[in-house]
Amino acid sequence: MSVQYFEGVGRRKECIARVRIMSGSGRFMVNDKEAQNFFTRLGDLETILAPLKATGQDLASLDISVLVKGGGVTGQTDAVQLGLARALTKMNADWHGAMRKGGFLTRDARVKERK
């Protein structure tokens, strides 16, 4: 039996995050760790979960799985937020307006300036 999921890829600086959303019991795993243990800085989880709040979705009814590579903590936070917003948009196209209005679908293309 296959599980249906919705996937979104987010990028920021040197970081790439693959976010998968499926119906479930509220598990939020990042690189096989609980999200609270992976993103320990104050406010990072609230930043990541902002697209969920914009759509009125409850984390308790979804399972979120994230694979994040490269970059630092700030880049990873922003990449996961973008990936989550893109996955939610695939899940329900009616949420595109709310995502756009909140600024969650705009990729921040700034990278470190080379000398």
Side-chain angles (χ1 to χ4, degrees):
M1 181 175 146
S2 67
V3 177
Q4 182 183 9
Y5 62 87
F6 300 93
E7 185 174 72
V9 176
R11 294 179 186 88
R12 174 74 169 99
K13 294 184 175 182
E14 294 293 318
C15 178
I16 298 174
R18 184 184 72 203
V19 180
R20 289 182 176 176
I21 301 175
M22 59 206 91
S23 61
S25 60
R27 290 184 43 178
F28 188 8
M29 303 295 285
V30 180
N31 290 355
D32 295 325
K33 293 182 181 179
E34 289 289 331
Q36 300 91 315
N37 298 332
F38 193 85
F39 293 108
T40 57
R41 286 193 328 188
L42 186 65
D44 279 350
L45 274 179
E46 289 79 17
T47 301
I48 291 169
L49 295 176
L52 278 176
K53 291 182 181 139
T55 59
Q57 282 292 101
D58 187 20
L59 181 61
S61 64
L62 299 172
D63 281 347
I64 301 174
S65 172
V66 179
L67 178 64
V68 64
K69 295 181 182 177
V73 179
T74 302
Q76 289 179 349
T77 301
D78 292 343
V80 172
Q81 181 190 43
L82 177 60
L84 180 62
R86 287 179 174 174
L88 285 169
T89 302
K90 286 183 183 177
M91 190 172 165
N92 187 346
D94 294 337
W95 294 336
H96 184 82
M99 293 290 149
R100 183 61 67 192
K101 185 177 179 183
F104 302 125
L105 292 177
T106 304
R107 182 183 186 276
D108 190 352
R110 294 177 295 167
V111 295
K112 185 173 181 179
E113 185 176 350
R114 300 296 172 202
K115 295 182 181 182

